[in-house]
Amino acid sequence: MIVRMWEVQAHPESLADVLSWVCERAVPAVADDPNLVGTEVFSSLDNRIVVITRWRRDPRELEEPPGYLVTRKPHSWDFSPVEL
């Protein structure tokens, strides 16, 4: 399994717009991928939005939100589970 963490920071006045964009466009764009196991979306008090996706293989990138809504382009990192 591959866990992808995608993170973006919205301008303070744009947090609701970016969150709507993530939930209505970016996440649905990958939702039908058969390799997608699950998705979670989080927001923080400092205007960050994090999307955690879990993939069997071949994770797909989420689209970039409109540039005028965010302070910089999104970043993403891939992780593998660690057995304890």
Side-chain angles (χ1 to χ4, degrees):
M1 177 171 305
I2 301 167
V3 177
R4 176 162 288 169
M5 184 179 91
W6 180 94
E7 180 266 337
V8 70
Q9 186 165 15
H11 290 293
E13 67 279 2
S14 301
L15 180 62
D17 293 329
V18 177
L19 191 54
S20 292
W21 181 89
V22 165
C23 293
E24 295 170 9
R25 179 168 173 163
V27 169
V30 300
D32 64 348
D33 191 306
N35 290 317
L36 181 66
V37 175
T39 304
E40 296 174 281
V41 179
F42 302 90
S43 65
S44 70
L45 295 176
D46 66 349
N47 304 312
R48 292 181 194 274
I49 297 170
V50 171
V51 180
I52 305 292
T53 52
R54 290 172 181 79
W55 301 87
R56 290 179 182 86
R57 63 182 178 281
D58 304 323
R60 288 176 44 193
E61 283 289 341
L62 295 181
E63 296 179 42
E64 290 187 12
Y68 64 90
L69 294 176
V70 298
T71 62
R72 60 170 171 72
K73 291 184 176 200
H75 296 291
S76 65
W77 302 268
D78 289 346
F79 298 89
S80 297
V82 175
E83 296 293 327
L84 298 177

